[in-house]
Amino acid sequence: MINKELCNVVSQVEIADSIYELTLKGELVQHMSEPGQFVHLKVSNSIDPLLRRPISIAKIDKSNNEFTMIYRKEGRGTTLLAEKKAGEEVDVLGPLGHGFPVEETTPGETALLVGGGIGVPPLYELSIQLVNRGVQVIHVLGFQTKEAVFYESEFALLGETYIATADGSYGSKGFVTDVIGDKNLSFDTLYSCGPTPMLKALDSNFADKKVFLSLEERMGCGIGACFACVCHTGDDKDGTSYKKVCSDGPVFRAGEVIL
């Protein structure tokens, strides 16, 4: 169900280099259930910028009607969003898309959650729901540098957590795939969100596992009407078979779409 509401800013804080944690309050939180869904935010009160910004949901708190997002300030839209203060309002459309299928991992099994950069946030709510389900979780989180690392302690409270940085300034030097191999991690299901090269590597390395990937794509409408975020399906023979990342995804089973 898609809802539109002016939500109140509860708090906003910079938690890493250009990485912001924004918590909003509104009744639409009651419609949030699937980890991996996202919301579409209007970042200003004018028509400039015209398009909303898609931001993944990092945590759902239904008891307080609050939800938390973590995003990187980099373009004009997110720069405006980063200026929002407690007590102000944000125009929110959501929740949108299809998230991670927690039911694919049964109680007692192990889930490996792999995130890269700003793809890490939706894995936090996923981890919470898996733990509540009786699933053992392992987190492997990749960042460019030490200054970009966030939520390490929060994930560590839920399960085994490893950090990799591309420059080696914190945790293990290299990529998330290096950590998985070096630690010889064993798991039943893999859930991941992050840059496409990382998702491709996971897709090819763990073809024998249940793998679910959340794609990052530029979006226009966010509800499947504008066809700005389409990707071809894995069984596309003539270039006419596709899915929309915003409404059919953003989470897909490995092999379902072409990365």
Side-chain angles (χ1 to χ4, degrees):
M1 182 176 183
I2 300 174
N3 300 273
K4 183 176 177 294
E5 184 179 351
L6 285 176
C7 294
N8 294 315
V9 176
V10 176
S11 65
Q12 175 149 240
V13 60
E14 187 175 9
I15 58 175
D17 184 22
S18 298
I19 303 295
Y20 286 76
E21 178 192 69
L22 173 62
T23 298
L24 300 180
K25 188 180 188 72
E27 292 296 327
L28 56 72
V29 176
Q30 297 303 318
H31 300 283
M32 297 177 178
S33 58
E34 294 180 32
Q37 288 185 299
F38 66 97
V39 289
H40 229 194
L41 306 182
K42 193 173 188 301
V43 297
S44 74
N45 296 324
S46 68
I47 60 172
D48 183 27
L50 179 62
L51 296 179
R52 292 173 178 264
R53 277 8 183 212
I55 308 288
S56 60
I57 300 167
K59 184 180 180 182
I60 302 168
D61 181 0
K62 289 190 175 183
S63 61
N64 291 306
N65 276 343
E66 295 178 359
F67 70 101
T68 299
M69 298 160 287
I70 298 172
Y71 65 95
R72 179 187 294 117
K73 183 181 78 171
E74 52 184 348
R76 185 161 183 271
T78 48
T79 297
L80 288 171
L81 185 61
E83 296 174 357
K84 295 288 186 180
K85 303 289 193 299
E88 295 184 6
E89 293 181 325
V90 179
D91 189 321
V92 181
L93 188 67
L96 302 173
H98 294 283
F100 293 104
V102 295
E103 68 279 359
E104 288 285 346
T105 312
T106 60
E109 290 187 330
T110 299
L112 177 62
L113 281 56
V114 183
I118 209 61
V120 168
L123 300 181
Y124 186 59
E125 175 64 27
L126 171 62
S127 186
I128 291 173
Q129 292 197 22
L130 287 171
V131 169
N132 288 340
R133 184 177 170 79
V135 173
Q136 180 180 348
V137 294
I138 304 174
H139 316 103
V140 180
L141 313 176
F143 303 91
Q144 285 296 315
T145 184
K146 178 181 180 180
E147 288 71 30
V149 176
F150 61 87
Y151 263 46
E152 179 185 9
S153 59
E154 285 85 350
F155 277 100
L157 290 174
L158 296 168
E160 203 173 330
T161 301
Y162 301 95
I163 304 293
T165 52
D167 64 358
S169 57
Y170 190 78
S172 301
K173 182 176 182 179
F175 303 107
V176 293
T177 47
D178 298 324
V179 174
I180 297 170
D182 293 343
K183 302 296 182 181
N184 195 27
L185 300 178
S186 177
F187 58 92
D188 299 289
T189 312
L190 190 154
Y191 301 94
S192 182
C193 182
T196 300
M198 184 193 82
L199 299 181
K200 284 184 176 180
L202 294 170
D203 189 5
S204 61
N205 290 344
F206 301 105
D208 60 328
K209 298 283 189 178
K210 288 190 293 184
V211 178
F212 298 92
L213 309 173
S214 180
L215 276 58
E216 298 178 338
E217 289 287 340
R218 290 187 177 275
M219 297 179 184
C221 69
I223 58 174
C226 73
F227 290 75
C229 63
V230 298
C231 53
H232 291 286
T233 62
D235 58 355
D236 189 5
K237 305 301 182 185
D238 55 7
T240 61
S241 178
Y242 57 83
K243 288 184 180 290
K244 305 168 189 175
V245 173
C246 68
S247 57
D248 295 319
V251 177
F252 297 95
R253 185 183 292 268
E256 188 176 351
V257 295
I258 299 174
L259 299 174

PDB file of all heavy atoms in Angstrom, residues 52-70:
ATOM      1  N   ARG A  52      11.452  13.521  -6.667  1.00  0.00           N
ATOM      2  CA  ARG A  52      11.684  13.039  -5.313  1.00  0.00           C
ATOM      3  C   ARG A  52      12.978  12.219  -5.270  1.00  0.00           C
ATOM      4  O   ARG A  52      13.501  11.805  -6.308  1.00  0.00           O
ATOM      5  CB  ARG A  52      10.503  12.170  -4.849  1.00  0.00           C
ATOM      6  CG  ARG A  52       9.214  12.949  -4.637  1.00  0.00           C
ATOM      7  CD  ARG A  52       8.050  12.017  -4.347  1.00  0.00           C
ATOM      8  NE  ARG A  52       6.830  12.781  -4.095  1.00  0.00           N
ATOM      9  CZ  ARG A  52       6.390  13.107  -2.890  1.00  0.00           C
ATOM     10  NH1 ARG A  52       7.054  12.701  -1.811  1.00  0.00           N
ATOM     11  NH2 ARG A  52       5.292  13.813  -2.728  1.00  0.00           N
ATOM     12  N   ARG A  53      13.468  11.964  -4.059  1.00  0.00           N
ATOM     13  CA  ARG A  53      14.669  11.154  -3.877  1.00  0.00           C
ATOM     14  C   ARG A  53      14.295   9.840  -3.180  1.00  0.00           C
ATOM     15  O   ARG A  53      13.656   9.852  -2.128  1.00  0.00           O
ATOM     16  CB  ARG A  53      15.691  11.897  -3.016  1.00  0.00           C
ATOM     17  CG  ARG A  53      16.622  12.917  -3.674  1.00  0.00           C
ATOM     18  CD  ARG A  53      16.353  13.260  -5.053  1.00  0.00           C
ATOM     19  NE  ARG A  53      17.334  14.182  -5.631  1.00  0.00           N
ATOM     20  CZ  ARG A  53      17.012  15.066  -6.559  1.00  0.00           C
ATOM     21  NH1 ARG A  53      15.764  15.169  -6.969  1.00  0.00           N
ATOM     22  NH2 ARG A  53      17.955  15.842  -7.093  1.00  0.00           N
ATOM     23  N   PRO A  54      14.701   8.694  -3.774  1.00  0.00           N
ATOM     24  CA  PRO A  54      14.432   7.398  -3.132  1.00  0.00           C
ATOM     25  C   PRO A  54      15.469   7.126  -2.047  1.00  0.00           C
ATOM     26  O   PRO A  54      16.676   7.189  -2.296  1.00  0.00           O
ATOM     27  CB  PRO A  54      14.563   6.402  -4.289  1.00  0.00           C
ATOM     28  CG  PRO A  54      15.546   7.048  -5.223  1.00  0.00           C
ATOM     29  CD  PRO A  54      15.345   8.537  -5.096  1.00  0.00           C
ATOM     30  N   ILE A  55      15.009   6.835  -0.840  1.00  0.00           N
ATOM     31  CA  ILE A  55      15.899   6.534   0.289  1.00  0.00           C
ATOM     32  C   ILE A  55      15.408   5.236   0.948  1.00  0.00           C
ATOM     33  O   ILE A  55      14.225   5.084   1.248  1.00  0.00           O
ATOM     34  CB  ILE A  55      15.901   7.655   1.347  1.00  0.00           C
ATOM     35  CG1 ILE A  55      16.178   9.027   0.697  1.00  0.00           C
ATOM     36  CG2 ILE A  55      16.920   7.348   2.439  1.00  0.00           C
ATOM     37  CD1 ILE A  55      17.578   9.243   0.224  1.00  0.00           C
ATOM     38  N   SER A  56      16.320   4.308   1.168  1.00  0.00           N
ATOM     39  CA  SER A  56      15.938   3.035   1.781  1.00  0.00           C
ATOM     40  C   SER A  56      15.634   3.216   3.261  1.00  0.00           C
ATOM     41  O   SER A  56      16.136   4.128   3.915  1.00  0.00           O
ATOM     42  CB  SER A  56      17.041   1.997   1.592  1.00  0.00           C
ATOM     43  OG  SER A  56      18.237   2.437   2.196  1.00  0.00           O
ATOM     44  N   ILE A  57      14.815   2.319   3.778  1.00  0.00           N
ATOM     45  CA  ILE A  57      14.416   2.347   5.188  1.00  0.00           C
ATOM     46  C   ILE A  57      15.397   1.492   5.988  1.00  0.00           C
ATOM     47  O   ILE A  57      15.589   0.309   5.697  1.00  0.00           O
ATOM     48  CB  ILE A  57      12.987   1.815   5.357  1.00  0.00           C
ATOM     49  CG1 ILE A  57      12.004   2.677   4.552  1.00  0.00           C
ATOM     50  CG2 ILE A  57      12.593   1.788   6.829  1.00  0.00           C
ATOM     51  CD1 ILE A  57      10.627   2.055   4.397  1.00  0.00           C
ATOM     52  N   ALA A  58      16.029   2.085   7.002  1.00  0.00           N
ATOM     53  CA  ALA A  58      17.030   1.381   7.794  1.00  0.00           C
ATOM     54  C   ALA A  58      16.446   0.755   9.056  1.00  0.00           C
ATOM     55  O   ALA A  58      16.946  -0.260   9.534  1.00  0.00           O
ATOM     56  CB  ALA A  58      18.173   2.320   8.174  1.00  0.00           C
ATOM     57  N   LYS A  59      15.397   1.373   9.594  1.00  0.00           N
ATOM     58  CA  LYS A  59      14.800   0.833  10.820  1.00  0.00           C
ATOM     59  C   LYS A  59      13.346   1.262  10.912  1.00  0.00           C
ATOM     60  O   LYS A  59      13.005   2.405  10.600  1.00  0.00           O
ATOM     61  CB  LYS A  59      15.569   1.315  12.055  1.00  0.00           C
ATOM     62  CG  LYS A  59      15.058   0.718  13.367  1.00  0.00           C
ATOM     63  CD  LYS A  59      15.838   1.223  14.575  1.00  0.00           C
ATOM     64  CE  LYS A  59      15.314   0.620  15.866  1.00  0.00           C
ATOM     65  NZ  LYS A  59      16.025   1.126  17.063  1.00  0.00           N
ATOM     66  N   ILE A  60      12.505   0.328  11.372  1.00  0.00           N
ATOM     67  CA  ILE A  60      11.076   0.587  11.541  1.00  0.00           C
ATOM     68  C   ILE A  60      10.722   0.472  13.017  1.00  0.00           C
ATOM     69  O   ILE A  60      11.009  -0.537  13.654  1.00  0.00           O
ATOM     70  CB  ILE A  60      10.242  -0.428  10.735  1.00  0.00           C
ATOM     71  CG1 ILE A  60      10.612  -0.374   9.248  1.00  0.00           C
ATOM     72  CG2 ILE A  60       8.750  -0.165  10.927  1.00  0.00           C
ATOM     73  CD1 ILE A  60      10.050  -1.543   8.449  1.00  0.00           C
ATOM     74  N   ASP A  61      10.096   1.518  13.557  1.00  0.00           N
ATOM     75  CA  ASP A  61       9.673   1.529  14.964  1.00  0.00           C
ATOM     76  C   ASP A  61       8.180   1.832  15.001  1.00  0.00           C
ATOM     77  O   ASP A  61       7.766   2.983  15.152  1.00  0.00           O
ATOM     78  CB  ASP A  61      10.475   2.569  15.746  1.00  0.00           C
ATOM     79  CG  ASP A  61      10.091   2.621  17.222  1.00  0.00           C
ATOM     80  OD1 ASP A  61       9.209   1.848  17.636  1.00  0.00           O
ATOM     81  OD2 ASP A  61      10.673   3.444  17.957  1.00  0.00           O
ATOM     82  N   LYS A  62       7.363   0.786  14.869  1.00  0.00           N
ATOM     83  CA  LYS A  62       5.916   0.984  14.799  1.00  0.00           C
ATOM     84  C   LYS A  62       5.327   1.474  16.115  1.00  0.00           C
ATOM     85  O   LYS A  62       4.324   2.194  16.121  1.00  0.00           O
ATOM     86  CB  LYS A  62       5.229  -0.313  14.370  1.00  0.00           C
ATOM     87  CG  LYS A  62       5.462  -0.679  12.911  1.00  0.00           C
ATOM     88  CD  LYS A  62       4.576  -1.832  12.475  1.00  0.00           C
ATOM     89  CE  LYS A  62       4.732  -2.099  10.994  1.00  0.00           C
ATOM     90  NZ  LYS A  62       3.830  -3.168  10.503  1.00  0.00           N
ATOM     91  N   SER A  63       5.944   1.109  17.223  1.00  0.00           N
ATOM     92  CA  SER A  63       5.403   1.509  18.522  1.00  0.00           C
ATOM     93  C   SER A  63       5.434   3.022  18.703  1.00  0.00           C
ATOM     94  O   SER A  63       4.600   3.596  19.412  1.00  0.00           O
ATOM     95  CB  SER A  63       6.183   0.838  19.656  1.00  0.00           C
ATOM     96  OG  SER A  63       7.547   1.230  19.635  1.00  0.00           O
ATOM     97  N   ASN A  64       6.388   3.691  18.047  1.00  0.00           N
ATOM     98  CA  ASN A  64       6.494   5.149  18.138  1.00  0.00           C
ATOM     99  C   ASN A  64       6.158   5.854  16.834  1.00  0.00           C
ATOM    100  O   ASN A  64       6.352   7.067  16.714  1.00  0.00           O
ATOM    101  CB  ASN A  64       7.908   5.542  18.572  1.00  0.00           C
ATOM    102  CG  ASN A  64       8.219   5.151  20.004  1.00  0.00           C
ATOM    103  OD1 ASN A  64       7.482   5.498  20.921  1.00  0.00           O
ATOM    104  ND2 ASN A  64       9.300   4.408  20.200  1.00  0.00           N
ATOM    105  N   ASN A  65       5.659   5.092  15.841  1.00  0.00           N
ATOM    106  CA  ASN A  65       5.360   5.647  14.519  1.00  0.00           C
ATOM    107  C   ASN A  65       6.581   6.348  13.908  1.00  0.00           C
ATOM    108  O   ASN A  65       6.457   7.380  13.261  1.00  0.00           O
ATOM    109  CB  ASN A  65       4.187   6.637  14.584  1.00  0.00           C
ATOM    110  CG  ASN A  65       2.843   5.948  14.527  1.00  0.00           C
ATOM    111  OD1 ASN A  65       2.752   4.782  14.139  1.00  0.00           O
ATOM    112  ND2 ASN A  65       1.793   6.645  14.933  1.00  0.00           N
ATOM    113  N   GLU A  66       7.757   5.756  14.095  1.00  0.00           N
ATOM    114  CA  GLU A  66       8.988   6.369  13.593  1.00  0.00           C
ATOM    115  C   GLU A  66       9.730   5.400  12.679  1.00  0.00           C
ATOM    116  O   GLU A  66       9.679   4.182  12.868  1.00  0.00           O
ATOM    117  CB  GLU A  66       9.907   6.777  14.748  1.00  0.00           C
ATOM    118  CG  GLU A  66       9.315   7.864  15.627  1.00  0.00           C
ATOM    119  CD  GLU A  66      10.221   8.227  16.802  1.00  0.00           C
ATOM    120  OE1 GLU A  66      11.305   7.613  16.954  1.00  0.00           O
ATOM    121  OE2 GLU A  66       9.832   9.107  17.585  1.00  0.00           O
ATOM    122  N   PHE A  67      10.418   5.957  11.683  1.00  0.00           N
ATOM    123  CA  PHE A  67      11.309   5.147  10.855  1.00  0.00           C
ATOM    124  C   PHE A  67      12.575   5.943  10.576  1.00  0.00           C
ATOM    125  O   PHE A  67      12.574   7.168  10.559  1.00  0.00           O
ATOM    126  CB  PHE A  67      10.632   4.700   9.552  1.00  0.00           C
ATOM    127  CG  PHE A  67      10.382   5.799   8.545  1.00  0.00           C
ATOM    128  CD1 PHE A  67      11.230   5.963   7.451  1.00  0.00           C
ATOM    129  CD2 PHE A  67       9.296   6.651   8.672  1.00  0.00           C
ATOM    130  CE1 PHE A  67      10.990   6.953   6.504  1.00  0.00           C
ATOM    131  CE2 PHE A  67       9.051   7.646   7.739  1.00  0.00           C
ATOM    132  CZ  PHE A  67       9.908   7.805   6.652  1.00  0.00           C
ATOM    133  N   THR A  68      13.659   5.205  10.413  1.00  0.00           N
ATOM    134  CA  THR A  68      14.970   5.820  10.251  1.00  0.00           C
ATOM    135  C   THR A  68      15.547   5.499   8.884  1.00  0.00           C
ATOM    136  O   THR A  68      15.416   4.368   8.400  1.00  0.00           O
ATOM    137  CB  THR A  68      15.931   5.326  11.352  1.00  0.00           C
ATOM    138  OG1 THR A  68      15.414   5.710  12.625  1.00  0.00           O
ATOM    139  CG2 THR A  68      17.331   5.916  11.178  1.00  0.00           C
ATOM    140  N   MET A  69      16.177   6.497   8.278  1.00  0.00           N
ATOM    141  CA  MET A  69      16.876   6.336   7.007  1.00  0.00           C
ATOM    142  C   MET A  69      18.323   6.772   7.183  1.00  0.00           C
ATOM    143  O   MET A  69      18.630   7.626   8.015  1.00  0.00           O
ATOM    144  CB  MET A  69      16.226   7.193   5.916  1.00  0.00           C
ATOM    145  CG  MET A  69      14.779   6.841   5.612  1.00  0.00           C
ATOM    146  SD  MET A  69      13.932   8.211   4.801  1.00  0.00           S
ATOM    147  CE  MET A  69      13.751   9.350   6.172  1.00  0.00           C
ATOM    148  N   ILE A  70      19.209   6.181   6.404  1.00  0.00           N
ATOM    149  CA  ILE A  70      20.612   6.585   6.381  1.00  0.00           C
ATOM    150  C   ILE A  70      20.970   6.839   4.921  1.00  0.00           C
ATOM    151  O   ILE A  70      20.738   5.977   4.065  1.00  0.00           O
ATOM    152  CB  ILE A  70      21.515   5.503   6.990  1.00  0.00           C
ATOM    153  CG1 ILE A  70      21.143   5.269   8.456  1.00  0.00           C
ATOM    154  CG2 ILE A  70      22.994   5.892   6.878  1.00  0.00           C
ATOM    155  CD1 ILE A  70      21.842   4.078   9.092  1.00  0.00           C
TER     156      ILE A  70
END
